[in-house]
Every structure is written in structure tokens, then in C-alpha cells.
mmCIF file of all heavy atoms in Angstrom:
data_model
loop_
_atom_site.group_PDB
_atom_site.id
_atom_site.type_symbol
_atom_site.label_atom_id
_atom_site.label_comp_id
_atom_site.label_asym_id
_atom_site.label_seq_id
_atom_site.Cartn_x
_atom_site.Cartn_y
_atom_site.Cartn_z
ATOM 1 N N SER A 1 -170.818 -50.039 -39.035
ATOM 2 C CA SER A 1 -170.186 -51.343 -39.199
ATOM 3 C C SER A 1 -169.040 -51.272 -40.195
ATOM 4 O O SER A 1 -169.054 -50.489 -41.143
ATOM 5 C CB SER A 1 -171.210 -52.376 -39.674
ATOM 6 O OG SER A 1 -170.577 -53.592 -40.005
ATOM 7 N N SER A 2 -168.023 -52.118 -39.948
ATOM 8 C CA SER A 2 -166.904 -52.202 -40.884
ATOM 9 C C SER A 2 -167.224 -53.127 -42.051
ATOM 10 O O SER A 2 -166.441 -53.257 -42.982
ATOM 11 C CB SER A 2 -165.643 -52.708 -40.167
ATOM 12 O OG SER A 2 -165.872 -53.997 -39.638
ATOM 13 N N GLY A 3 -168.374 -53.782 -41.996
ATOM 14 C CA GLY A 3 -168.764 -54.691 -43.071
ATOM 15 C C GLY A 3 -169.402 -53.932 -44.221
ATOM 16 O O GLY A 3 -170.450 -53.295 -44.069
ATOM 17 N N ALA A 4 -168.767 -53.931 -45.367
ATOM 18 C CA ALA A 4 -169.297 -53.247 -46.546
ATOM 19 C C ALA A 4 -168.774 -53.938 -47.790
ATOM 20 O O ALA A 4 -167.637 -54.410 -47.818
ATOM 21 C CB ALA A 4 -168.895 -51.771 -46.550
ATOM 22 N N VAL A 5 -169.599 -53.978 -48.821
ATOM 23 C CA VAL A 5 -169.229 -54.654 -50.064
ATOM 24 C C VAL A 5 -169.575 -53.758 -51.241
ATOM 25 O O VAL A 5 -170.645 -53.136 -51.263
ATOM 26 C CB VAL A 5 -169.979 -55.998 -50.211
ATOM 27 C CG1 VAL A 5 -169.640 -56.655 -51.538
ATOM 28 C CG2 VAL A 5 -169.643 -56.933 -49.065
ATOM 29 N N ALA A 6 -168.667 -53.671 -52.209
ATOM 30 C CA ALA A 6 -168.945 -52.968 -53.456
ATOM 31 C C ALA A 6 -169.511 -53.945 -54.468
ATOM 32 O O ALA A 6 -169.039 -55.078 -54.569
ATOM 33 C CB ALA A 6 -167.660 -52.335 -53.996
ATOM 34 N N VAL A 7 -170.524 -53.527 -55.223
ATOM 35 C CA VAL A 7 -171.149 -54.396 -56.219
ATOM 36 C C VAL A 7 -171.251 -53.665 -57.545
ATOM 37 O O VAL A 7 -171.291 -52.433 -57.605
ATOM 38 C CB VAL A 7 -172.551 -54.868 -55.766
ATOM 39 C CG1 VAL A 7 -172.461 -55.716 -54.509
ATOM 40 C CG2 VAL A 7 -173.480 -53.687 -55.525
ATOM 41 N N GLY A 8 -171.291 -54.422 -58.635
ATOM 42 C CA GLY A 8 -171.369 -53.847 -59.967
ATOM 43 C C GLY A 8 -172.751 -53.321 -60.310
ATOM 44 O O GLY A 8 -173.732 -53.542 -59.597
ATOM 45 N N SER A 9 -172.840 -52.639 -61.438
ATOM 46 C CA SER A 9 -174.087 -51.991 -61.839
ATOM 47 C C SER A 9 -175.185 -52.982 -62.185
ATOM 48 O O SER A 9 -176.353 -52.607 -62.264
ATOM 49 C CB SER A 9 -173.834 -51.060 -63.025
ATOM 50 O OG SER A 9 -173.316 -51.792 -64.130
ATOM 51 N N SER A 10 -174.830 -54.269 -62.379
ATOM 52 C CA SER A 10 -175.850 -55.258 -62.712
ATOM 53 C C SER A 10 -176.774 -55.538 -61.529
ATOM 54 O O SER A 10 -177.857 -56.099 -61.712
ATOM 55 C CB SER A 10 -175.198 -56.569 -63.156
ATOM 56 O OG SER A 10 -174.438 -57.146 -62.101
ATOM 57 N N VAL A 11 -176.377 -55.135 -60.321
ATOM 58 C CA VAL A 11 -177.186 -55.419 -59.124
ATOM 59 C C VAL A 11 -178.264 -54.357 -58.921
ATOM 60 O O VAL A 11 -179.445 -54.677 -58.746
ATOM 61 C CB VAL A 11 -176.291 -55.521 -57.880
ATOM 62 C CG1 VAL A 11 -177.124 -55.804 -56.637
ATOM 63 C CG2 VAL A 11 -175.251 -56.628 -58.077
ATOM 64 N N TYR A 12 -177.892 -53.093 -58.960
ATOM 65 C CA TYR A 12 -178.854 -52.019 -58.690
ATOM 66 C C TYR A 12 -179.088 -51.108 -59.895
ATOM 67 O O TYR A 12 -179.742 -50.069 -59.769
ATOM 68 C CB TYR A 12 -178.385 -51.175 -57.496
ATOM 69 C CG TYR A 12 -178.286 -51.963 -56.211
ATOM 70 C CD1 TYR A 12 -177.045 -52.220 -55.624
ATOM 71 C CD2 TYR A 12 -179.422 -52.462 -55.583
ATOM 72 C CE1 TYR A 12 -176.949 -52.940 -54.443
ATOM 73 C CE2 TYR A 12 -179.334 -53.185 -54.410
ATOM 74 C CZ TYR A 12 -178.092 -53.428 -53.848
ATOM 75 O OH TYR A 12 -178.012 -54.153 -52.676
ATOM 76 N N GLY A 13 -178.561 -51.482 -61.042
ATOM 77 C CA GLY A 13 -178.791 -50.706 -62.250
ATOM 78 C C GLY A 13 -177.890 -49.494 -62.362
ATOM 79 O O GLY A 13 -177.081 -49.194 -61.483
ATOM 80 N N THR A 14 -178.033 -48.778 -63.471
ATOM 81 C CA THR A 14 -177.230 -47.575 -63.729
ATOM 82 C C THR A 14 -178.095 -46.339 -63.533
ATOM 83 O O THR A 14 -179.313 -46.377 -63.635
ATOM 84 C CB THR A 14 -176.676 -47.586 -65.162
ATOM 85 O OG1 THR A 14 -177.761 -47.691 -66.097
ATOM 86 C CG2 THR A 14 -175.746 -48.765 -65.368
ATOM 87 N N GLY A 15 -177.424 -45.218 -63.255
ATOM 88 C CA GLY A 15 -178.125 -43.961 -63.090
ATOM 89 C C GLY A 15 -178.595 -43.405 -64.416
ATOM 90 O O GLY A 15 -178.284 -43.935 -65.494
ATOM 91 N N ALA A 16 -179.353 -42.327 -64.357
ATOM 92 C CA ALA A 16 -179.901 -41.722 -65.572
ATOM 93 C C ALA A 16 -178.813 -40.945 -66.302
ATOM 94 O O ALA A 16 -178.110 -40.139 -65.713
ATOM 95 C CB ALA A 16 -181.066 -40.796 -65.217
ATOM 96 N N GLY A 17 -178.672 -41.221 -67.603
ATOM 97 C CA GLY A 17 -177.725 -40.480 -68.416
ATOM 98 C C GLY A 17 -176.298 -40.923 -68.224
ATOM 99 O O GLY A 17 -175.967 -41.669 -67.308
ATOM 100 N N ARG A 18 -175.443 -40.491 -69.110
ATOM 101 C CA ARG A 18 -174.030 -40.864 -69.056
ATOM 102 C C ARG A 18 -173.153 -39.691 -68.637
ATOM 103 O O ARG A 18 -171.945 -39.788 -68.675
ATOM 104 C CB ARG A 18 -173.573 -41.382 -70.415
ATOM 105 C CG ARG A 18 -174.199 -42.730 -70.769
ATOM 106 C CD ARG A 18 -173.580 -43.269 -72.037
ATOM 107 N NE ARG A 18 -174.038 -44.622 -72.319
ATOM 108 C CZ ARG A 18 -173.589 -45.357 -73.332
ATOM 109 N NH1 ARG A 18 -172.679 -44.865 -74.146
ATOM 110 N NH2 ARG A 18 -174.049 -46.568 -73.524
ATOM 111 N N GLU A 19 -173.747 -38.561 -68.306
ATOM 112 C CA GLU A 19 -172.956 -37.396 -67.948
ATOM 113 C C GLU A 19 -173.158 -37.040 -66.483
ATOM 114 O O GLU A 19 -173.077 -35.902 -66.093
ATOM 115 C CB GLU A 19 -173.330 -36.217 -68.847
ATOM 116 C CG GLU A 19 -173.038 -36.481 -70.313
ATOM 117 C CD GLU A 19 -173.372 -35.284 -71.181
ATOM 118 O OE1 GLU A 19 -173.897 -34.298 -70.635
ATOM 119 O OE2 GLU A 19 -173.105 -35.337 -72.388
ATOM 120 N N ARG A 20 -173.395 -38.075 -65.657
ATOM 121 C CA ARG A 20 -173.678 -37.836 -64.248
ATOM 122 C C ARG A 20 -172.596 -38.410 -63.344
ATOM 123 O O ARG A 20 -172.760 -38.432 -62.134
ATOM 124 C CB ARG A 20 -175.022 -38.459 -63.884
ATOM 125 C CG ARG A 20 -176.207 -37.798 -64.575
ATOM 126 C CD ARG A 20 -177.470 -38.609 -64.295
ATOM 127 N NE ARG A 20 -177.665 -38.792 -62.869
ATOM 128 C CZ ARG A 20 -178.609 -38.191 -62.168
ATOM 129 N NH1 ARG A 20 -179.432 -37.356 -62.763
ATOM 130 N NH2 ARG A 20 -178.744 -38.416 -60.880
ATOM 131 N N ILE A 21 -171.487 -38.904 -63.907
ATOM 132 C CA ILE A 21 -170.422 -39.459 -63.085
ATOM 133 C C ILE A 21 -169.737 -38.328 -62.308
ATOM 134 O O ILE A 21 -169.245 -37.369 -62.900
ATOM 135 C CB ILE A 21 -169.387 -40.201 -63.942
ATOM 136 C CG1 ILE A 21 -170.017 -41.421 -64.598
ATOM 137 C CG2 ILE A 21 -168.188 -40.610 -63.096
ATOM 138 C CD1 ILE A 21 -170.364 -42.530 -63.643
ATOM 139 N N LEU A 22 -169.705 -38.447 -60.996
ATOM 140 C CA LEU A 22 -169.079 -37.420 -60.175
ATOM 141 C C LEU A 22 -167.646 -37.783 -59.809
ATOM 142 O O LEU A 22 -166.746 -36.949 -59.874
ATOM 143 C CB LEU A 22 -169.892 -37.204 -58.902
ATOM 144 C CG LEU A 22 -169.375 -36.105 -57.969
ATOM 145 C CD1 LEU A 22 -169.478 -34.746 -58.645
ATOM 146 C CD2 LEU A 22 -170.131 -36.104 -56.655
ATOM 147 N N LEU A 23 -167.398 -39.051 -59.424
ATOM 148 C CA LEU A 23 -166.081 -39.487 -58.984
ATOM 149 C C LEU A 23 -165.655 -40.736 -59.733
ATOM 150 O O LEU A 23 -166.483 -41.613 -59.997
ATOM 151 C CB LEU A 23 -166.079 -39.766 -57.479
ATOM 152 C CG LEU A 23 -166.364 -38.587 -56.549
ATOM 153 C CD1 LEU A 23 -166.489 -39.069 -55.115
ATOM 154 C CD2 LEU A 23 -165.283 -37.522 -56.662
ATOM 155 N N ASP A 24 -164.360 -40.830 -60.038
ATOM 156 C CA ASP A 24 -163.824 -41.998 -60.741
ATOM 157 C C ASP A 24 -162.451 -42.339 -60.172
ATOM 158 O O ASP A 24 -161.734 -41.465 -59.671
ATOM 159 C CB ASP A 24 -163.712 -41.696 -62.243
ATOM 160 C CG ASP A 24 -163.165 -42.869 -63.033
ATOM 161 O OD1 ASP A 24 -163.500 -44.015 -62.685
ATOM 162 O OD2 ASP A 24 -162.406 -42.651 -63.988
ATOM 163 N N GLU A 25 -162.100 -43.645 -60.257
ATOM 164 C CA GLU A 25 -160.791 -44.133 -59.808
ATOM 165 C C GLU A 25 -160.476 -43.663 -58.388
ATOM 166 O O GLU A 25 -159.411 -43.105 -58.113
ATOM 167 C CB GLU A 25 -159.689 -43.701 -60.787
ATOM 168 C CG GLU A 25 -159.851 -44.342 -62.159
ATOM 169 C CD GLU A 25 -158.732 -43.970 -63.106
ATOM 170 O OE1 GLU A 25 -157.843 -43.209 -62.683
ATOM 171 O OE2 GLU A 25 -158.747 -44.425 -64.251
ATOM 172 N N ILE A 26 -161.416 -43.935 -57.485
ATOM 173 C CA ILE A 26 -161.244 -43.533 -56.091
ATOM 174 C C ILE A 26 -160.301 -44.505 -55.389
ATOM 175 O O ILE A 26 -160.406 -45.718 -55.555
ATOM 176 C CB ILE A 26 -162.607 -43.502 -55.373
ATOM 177 C CG1 ILE A 26 -163.570 -42.575 -56.119
ATOM 178 C CG2 ILE A 26 -162.456 -43.056 -53.932
ATOM 179 C CD1 ILE A 26 -164.969 -42.601 -55.572
ATOM 180 N N LYS A 27 -159.381 -43.986 -54.596
ATOM 181 C CA LYS A 27 -158.457 -44.798 -53.811
ATOM 182 C C LYS A 27 -158.517 -44.329 -52.354
ATOM 183 O O LYS A 27 -158.098 -43.212 -52.050
ATOM 184 C CB LYS A 27 -157.025 -44.658 -54.337
ATOM 185 C CG LYS A 27 -156.800 -45.163 -55.753
ATOM 186 C CD LYS A 27 -156.716 -46.667 -55.802
ATOM 187 C CE LYS A 27 -156.421 -47.141 -57.227
ATOM 188 N NZ LYS A 27 -155.108 -46.688 -57.724
ATOM 189 N N CYS A 28 -159.048 -45.173 -51.475
ATOM 190 C CA CYS A 28 -159.151 -44.851 -50.051
ATOM 191 C C CYS A 28 -158.281 -45.806 -49.242
ATOM 192 O O CYS A 28 -157.957 -46.904 -49.704
ATOM 193 C CB CYS A 28 -160.594 -44.971 -49.565
ATOM 194 S SG CYS A 28 -161.807 -43.988 -50.490
ATOM 195 N N ASN A 29 -157.942 -45.411 -48.026
ATOM 196 C CA ASN A 29 -157.280 -46.360 -47.132
ATOM 197 C C ASN A 29 -158.289 -47.051 -46.232
ATOM 198 O O ASN A 29 -157.935 -47.971 -45.496
ATOM 199 C CB ASN A 29 -156.177 -45.685 -46.316
ATOM 200 C CG ASN A 29 -156.702 -44.552 -45.437
ATOM 201 O OD1 ASN A 29 -157.815 -44.619 -44.920
ATOM 202 N ND2 ASN A 29 -155.901 -43.512 -45.263
ATOM 203 N N GLY A 30 -159.535 -46.602 -46.272
ATOM 204 C CA GLY A 30 -160.614 -47.261 -45.546
ATOM 205 C C GLY A 30 -160.989 -46.593 -44.245
ATOM 206 O O GLY A 30 -162.008 -46.943 -43.638
ATOM 207 N N THR A 31 -160.196 -45.624 -43.798
ATOM 208 C CA THR A 31 -160.466 -44.955 -42.527
ATOM 209 C C THR A 31 -161.074 -43.567 -42.704
ATOM 210 O O THR A 31 -161.466 -42.936 -41.715
ATOM 211 C CB THR A 31 -159.171 -44.816 -41.720
ATOM 212 O OG1 THR A 31 -158.231 -44.006 -42.464
ATOM 213 C CG2 THR A 31 -158.549 -46.181 -41.444
ATOM 214 N N GLU A 32 -161.177 -43.086 -43.930
ATOM 215 C CA GLU A 32 -161.701 -41.738 -44.165
ATOM 216 C C GLU A 32 -163.180 -41.638 -43.777
ATOM 217 O O GLU A 32 -163.910 -42.626 -43.783
ATOM 218 C CB GLU A 32 -161.537 -41.342 -45.637
ATOM 219 C CG GLU A 32 -160.104 -41.278 -46.133
ATOM 220 C CD GLU A 32 -159.580 -42.601 -46.650
ATOM 221 O OE1 GLU A 32 -160.268 -43.631 -46.445
ATOM 222 O OE2 GLU A 32 -158.495 -42.615 -47.257
ATOM 223 N N SER A 33 -163.613 -40.425 -43.466
ATOM 224 C CA SER A 33 -165.020 -40.197 -43.126
ATOM 225 C C SER A 33 -165.861 -39.868 -44.346
ATOM 226 O O SER A 33 -167.090 -39.895 -44.289
ATOM 227 C CB SER A 33 -165.139 -39.064 -42.101
ATOM 228 O OG SER A 33 -164.575 -37.865 -42.621
ATOM 229 N N SER A 34 -165.203 -39.559 -45.478
ATOM 230 C CA SER A 34 -165.917 -39.201 -46.706
ATOM 231 C C SER A 34 -165.090 -39.594 -47.914
ATOM 232 O O SER A 34 -163.848 -39.568 -47.866
ATOM 233 C CB SER A 34 -166.192 -37.694 -46.741
ATOM 234 O OG SER A 34 -166.668 -37.289 -48.014
ATOM 235 N N LEU A 35 -165.752 -39.958 -48.998
ATOM 236 C CA LEU A 35 -165.046 -40.262 -50.238
ATOM 237 C C LEU A 35 -164.285 -39.047 -50.755
ATOM 238 O O LEU A 35 -163.315 -39.186 -51.498
ATOM 239 C CB LEU A 35 -166.043 -40.747 -51.309
ATOM 240 C CG LEU A 35 -166.684 -42.117 -51.080
ATOM 241 C CD1 LEU A 35 -167.756 -42.385 -52.128
ATOM 242 C CD2 LEU A 35 -165.635 -43.223 -51.118
ATOM 243 N N PHE A 36 -164.726 -37.865 -50.364
ATOM 244 C CA PHE A 36 -164.060 -36.648 -50.818
ATOM 245 C C PHE A 36 -162.677 -36.508 -50.199
ATOM 246 O O PHE A 36 -161.845 -35.741 -50.678
ATOM 247 C CB PHE A 36 -164.932 -35.434 -50.472
ATOM 248 C CG PHE A 36 -164.587 -34.208 -51.267
ATOM 249 C CD1 PHE A 36 -164.736 -34.203 -52.641
ATOM 250 C CD2 PHE A 36 -164.115 -33.059 -50.650
ATOM 251 C CE1 PHE A 36 -164.424 -33.078 -53.387
ATOM 252 C CE2 PHE A 36 -163.789 -31.932 -51.382
ATOM 253 C CZ PHE A 36 -163.952 -31.944 -52.759
ATOM 254 N N HIS A 37 -162.402 -37.268 -49.129
ATOM 255 C CA HIS A 37 -161.084 -37.241 -48.496
ATOM 256 C C HIS A 37 -160.130 -38.248 -49.135
ATOM 257 O O HIS A 37 -158.953 -38.285 -48.772
ATOM 258 C CB HIS A 37 -161.217 -37.545 -47.001
ATOM 259 C CG HIS A 37 -162.029 -36.537 -46.250
ATOM 260 N ND1 HIS A 37 -162.615 -36.804 -45.031
ATOM 261 C CD2 HIS A 37 -162.370 -35.250 -46.556
ATOM 262 C CE1 HIS A 37 -163.276 -35.741 -44.617
ATOM 263 N NE2 HIS A 37 -163.137 -34.783 -45.518
ATOM 264 N N CYS A 38 -160.628 -39.070 -50.025
ATOM 265 C CA CYS A 38 -159.802 -40.077 -50.705
ATOM 266 C C CYS A 38 -159.171 -39.472 -51.950
ATOM 267 O O CYS A 38 -159.529 -38.379 -52.388
ATOM 268 C CB CYS A 38 -160.660 -41.288 -51.091
ATOM 269 S SG CYS A 38 -161.552 -42.061 -49.718
ATOM 270 N N ASP A 39 -158.242 -40.196 -52.547
ATOM 271 C CA ASP A 39 -157.694 -39.779 -53.835
ATOM 272 C C ASP A 39 -158.642 -40.217 -54.946
ATOM 273 O O ASP A 39 -159.215 -41.298 -54.896
ATOM 274 C CB ASP A 39 -156.322 -40.423 -54.054
ATOM 275 C CG ASP A 39 -155.271 -39.825 -53.158
ATOM 276 O OD1 ASP A 39 -155.369 -38.618 -52.863
ATOM 277 O OD2 ASP A 39 -154.361 -40.553 -52.737
ATOM 278 N N PHE A 40 -158.798 -39.407 -55.951
ATOM 279 C CA PHE A 40 -159.606 -39.768 -57.111
ATOM 280 C C PHE A 40 -159.098 -38.992 -58.315
ATOM 281 O O PHE A 40 -158.457 -37.944 -58.178
ATOM 282 C CB PHE A 40 -161.098 -39.507 -56.871
ATOM 283 C CG PHE A 40 -161.405 -38.142 -56.325
ATOM 284 C CD1 PHE A 40 -161.525 -37.039 -57.149
ATOM 285 C CD2 PHE A 40 -161.572 -37.963 -54.958
ATOM 286 C CE1 PHE A 40 -161.807 -35.794 -56.646
ATOM 287 C CE2 PHE A 40 -161.855 -36.715 -54.432
ATOM 288 C CZ PHE A 40 -161.968 -35.621 -55.275
ATOM 289 N N SER A 41 -159.366 -39.543 -59.497
ATOM 290 C CA SER A 41 -158.784 -38.945 -60.702
ATOM 291 C C SER A 41 -159.704 -37.943 -61.373
ATOM 292 O O SER A 41 -159.240 -37.044 -62.066
ATOM 293 C CB SER A 41 -158.420 -40.036 -61.717
ATOM 294 O OG SER A 41 -159.583 -40.656 -62.217
ATOM 295 N N ILE A 42 -161.003 -38.082 -61.201
ATOM 296 C CA ILE A 42 -161.947 -37.233 -61.933
ATOM 297 C C ILE A 42 -163.013 -36.736 -60.977
ATOM 298 O O ILE A 42 -163.548 -37.490 -60.167
ATOM 299 C CB ILE A 42 -162.609 -38.003 -63.098
ATOM 300 C CG1 ILE A 42 -161.552 -38.374 -64.145
ATOM 301 C CG2 ILE A 42 -163.722 -37.190 -63.742
ATOM 302 C CD1 ILE A 42 -162.069 -39.257 -65.233
ATOM 303 N N PHE A 43 -163.306 -35.469 -61.058
ATOM 304 C CA PHE A 43 -164.387 -34.886 -60.279
ATOM 305 C C PHE A 43 -165.325 -34.173 -61.245
ATOM 306 O O PHE A 43 -164.905 -33.299 -61.998
ATOM 307 C CB PHE A 43 -163.819 -33.906 -59.252
ATOM 308 C CG PHE A 43 -164.845 -33.313 -58.330
ATOM 309 C CD1 PHE A 43 -165.553 -34.128 -57.462
ATOM 310 C CD2 PHE A 43 -165.099 -31.953 -58.332
ATOM 311 C CE1 PHE A 43 -166.492 -33.590 -56.609
ATOM 312 C CE2 PHE A 43 -166.031 -31.416 -57.476
ATOM 313 C CZ PHE A 43 -166.736 -32.229 -56.618
ATOM 314 N N TYR A 44 -166.587 -34.579 -61.235
ATOM 315 C CA TYR A 44 -167.579 -33.963 -62.103
ATOM 316 C C TYR A 44 -167.273 -34.248 -63.570
ATOM 317 O O TYR A 44 -166.969 -33.369 -64.367
ATOM 318 C CB TYR A 44 -167.635 -32.457 -61.842
ATOM 319 C CG TYR A 44 -168.890 -31.771 -62.336
ATOM 320 C CD1 TYR A 44 -170.104 -32.443 -62.364
ATOM 321 C CD2 TYR A 44 -168.854 -30.450 -62.770
ATOM 322 C CE1 TYR A 44 -171.245 -31.810 -62.808
ATOM 323 C CE2 TYR A 44 -169.981 -29.800 -63.218
ATOM 324 C CZ TYR A 44 -171.184 -30.484 -63.243
ATOM 325 O OH TYR A 44 -172.313 -29.865 -63.683
#
């Protein structure tokens, strides 16, 4: 489905620890098959 919504951490909580962020500042056009195909500023 094309229906999708992003929600903040207050809905499903935060992950364990603060050193587990894999991707940040992701920019997609919406047609990609994976977030790894989008632009992003930080990996790991």
C-alpha cells in the first residue's frame, strides 16, 4: 500500500541505548525499494 505514516518516538518508544542509530537525515523520493537507496547523512 502507498498509505504510510511516520510517527515520533512517543508512540512506540525508543530503542535500547543511544549508540544504535543506523540512519539519520534520510531523504527519499518515495519510489525506492529500500531506505539504503535514499540519501542520508549518517550511517552507523
Side-chain angles (χ1 to χ4, degrees):
S1 172
S2 61
V5 177
V7 297
S9 60
S10 63
V11 180
Y12 298 112
T14 57
R18 291 187 173 184
E19 298 182 356
R20 294 172 54 109
I21 295 290
L22 182 65
L23 297 173
D24 180 37
E25 295 183 0
I26 304 174
K27 296 283 183 64
C28 305
N29 60 35
T31 61
E32 298 88 350
S33 59
S34 170
L35 291 173
F36 199 63
H37 297 159
C38 304
D39 289 327
F40 49 83
S41 67
I42 295 173
F43 184 63
Y44 198 32

